[in-house]
Amino acid sequence: MHDPNDLSCLRRTWQEATDDVLSKPLRRRNIIPSAVDLDRASSSLVQSIPDNGFGVEKTTNHLWQDVVPGLNSQSLSSSYFGFVTGGVTPAARVAECVVSTFDQNVQYFFALTLSRIAFGLFARALEKTPEFEHVRGGTEGLELADSIAGDAHKMLNVPYDCGFFFSRHSKLTQQVLRNPNAAYLNVDAVMDDIASPLNTGLENSRRFRALPVYATLVSYGRDGYSKMLQRQIRFARRLAWYFSLHHQFDLLPQSIEKYGNIDQDIYTIVLFRAKDTNLNNILVKSINETSQIYVSGTIWQDHPASRIAAANWQIEPELQANLVIEVIEALLRDWEKENNG
């Protein structure tokens, strides 16, 4: 999963960002990009998700050479520089650095075609094979929905505060979300048939979240994200079998074992609980205190349950599943020593 070139791209981006921030008083760039730079940036944009991604290095070059010249220059006043420390793809991290460097808000807008790979729609990126047939079937007819919303930070692995929504009612959306109170934000609802991003989002001051999404989709493409999701599903199914066969745990919901098929029904989330009530009551806390893995707690049929969700782009099914199993087995040994000792 790790390409040595990814690290060099990140280093280059941090260096260029640092140089630009430190040279802010010198104002090397125009505040507003020229018409030539805008046209070049616009014409260089990838219009739909490629089947085979460009890779991090080519995407980094594309951002700095084509997109950055078309961005407004950052303010001369102090600005917040956000550091993303983990949980995102290298391409998204590069793009986030660009966003922080140039302090971009929503005035710049990408119209990348996402209709084939959104949150619940991610299953549509999977190969049409028996292994994934059932989860792909769960998205049938979704294109008929009136609106779709989701969190990009989960499956796309972009900065946390990134979400999206699609609606068939663009005029109604602009009426609801338009901010008419500030004179400097009073833009026409439609300019050259392109809706202003100020009138189609939930917050006018949000960061330029479209750029990390754009960068990571271009970098990895449909095939790259399909393979990421395949690994996540296989990881989840590996753990589901472990909990299903273990005499001290129940895989939830129990209907999967009775009427379903783990190798077909499990997507990326595994829900389980310990059969011993006392252990189950402290299971989430005990697992998380190891600082090796993290699970979230929930309630299933009025009893505590533990939840493992696979979403990270770096998952290797056997490697990470074995780590989880080692943590669980060590916890069980300690529990038995303390309680049977």
Side-chain angles (χ1 to χ4, degrees):
M1 283 299 295
H2 292 281
D3 187 331
N5 288 330
D6 292 354
L7 184 57
S8 63
C9 290
L10 291 171
R11 286 173 176 166
R12 171 192 164 190
T13 298
W14 288 120
Q15 185 61 54
E16 295 203 27
T18 302
D19 291 346
D20 209 288
V21 170
L22 293 177
S23 66
K24 185 183 288 190
L26 302 178
R27 181 62 76 187
R28 296 186 303 170
R29 305 171 72 244
N30 293 327
I31 296 177
I32 303 297
S34 67
V36 173
D37 286 336
L38 280 174
D39 288 342
R40 182 166 176 261
S42 179
S43 63
S44 74
L45 298 179
V46 180
Q47 298 301 309
S48 62
I49 302 170
D51 288 333
N52 298 309
F54 292 1
V56 177
E57 184 174 12
K58 186 175 179 181
T59 301
T60 300
N61 292 335
H62 167 53
L63 293 179
W64 282 105
Q65 296 171 10
D66 302 326
V67 177
V68 166
L71 301 178
N72 295 341
S73 182
Q74 77 272 37
S75 169
L76 286 174
S77 60
S78 348
S79 58
Y80 167 75
F81 196 94
F83 288 89
V84 177
T85 58
V88 300
T89 65
R93 190 174 301 183
V94 167
E96 172 63 10
C97 183
V98 171
V99 171
S100 288
T101 302
F102 297 98
D103 198 22
Q104 295 296 296
N105 57 22
V106 297
Q107 288 288 4
Y108 204 91
F109 172 81
F110 284 130
L112 183 67
T113 302
L114 287 167
S115 59
R116 299 178 68 187
I117 183 167
F119 182 50
L121 288 172
F122 277 108
R124 292 197 174 191
L126 293 168
E127 296 177 352
K128 294 182 179 180
T129 62
E131 183 180 9
F132 306 114
E133 180 180 6
H134 187 69
V135 293
R136 278 184 57 88
T139 67
E140 289 182 1
L142 196 53
E143 68 276 5
L144 303 176
D146 193 66
S147 60
I148 301 173
D151 293 326
H153 72 265
K154 290 186 175 70
M155 295 296 189
L156 284 183
N157 281 226
V158 295
Y160 186 81
D161 56 333
C162 182
F164 57 84
F165 64 87
F166 301 98
S167 172
R168 296 184 185 276
H169 307 287
S170 60
K171 291 184 178 179
L172 178 61
T173 301
Q174 293 172 54
Q175 291 174 12
V176 172
L177 299 176
R178 187 176 183 180
N179 186 341
N181 296 324
Y184 57 88
L185 295 179
N186 188 16
V187 296
D188 292 334
V190 176
M191 300 176 294
D192 298 328
D193 296 325
I194 299 176
S196 168
L198 287 175
N199 296 332
T200 58
L202 300 178
E203 181 195 353
N204 291 329
S205 61
R206 68 190 184 279
R207 292 169 68 77
F208 187 13
R209 284 294 173 243
L211 191 62
V213 172
Y214 171 83
T216 198
L217 289 175
V218 168
S219 178
Y220 297 98
R222 283 180 54 84
D223 184 61
Y225 269 99
S226 176
K227 289 178 179 177
M228 284 184 204
L229 185 52
Q230 289 175 41
R231 291 193 298 272
Q232 293 162 7
I233 292 173
R234 288 166 182 157
F235 162 80
R237 289 175 178 176
R238 171 75 174 84
L239 289 181
W241 274 114
Y242 166 76
F243 290 115
S244 174
L245 298 173
H246 204 293
H247 68 283
Q248 291 181 274
F249 292 102
D250 287 323
L251 176 67
L252 303 172
Q254 292 174 319
S255 59
I256 291 180
E257 295 179 292
K258 292 181 179 179
Y259 309 110
N261 184 335
I262 289 175
D263 289 329
Q264 286 287 317
D265 297 339
I266 295 294
Y267 188 38
T268 60
I269 293 176
V270 181
L271 192 65
F272 63 98
R273 68 182 172 208
K275 292 181 178 180
D276 185 293
T277 302
N278 293 326
L279 173 59
N280 193 53
N281 288 336
I282 64 167
L283 187 59
V284 171
K285 181 175 181 291
S286 298
I287 292 174
N288 292 339
E289 283 180 347
T290 68
S291 298
Q292 295 186 67
I293 62 173
Y294 176 84
V295 301
S296 57
T298 186
I299 299 295
W300 181 263
Q301 294 182 338
D302 299 324
H303 296 286
S306 304
R307 175 180 176 270
I308 294 176
N312 192 280
W313 65 279
Q314 301 174 85
I315 283 179
E316 295 292 347
E318 285 302 314
L319 181 64
Q320 268 72 53
N322 288 339
L323 172 61
V324 173
I325 292 171
E326 288 173 7
V327 171
I328 298 294
E329 290 295 331
L331 188 151
L332 289 176
R333 288 193 296 270
D334 292 341
W335 169 261
E336 290 174 352
K337 287 179 182 179
E338 292 178 6
N339 291 273
N340 300 324

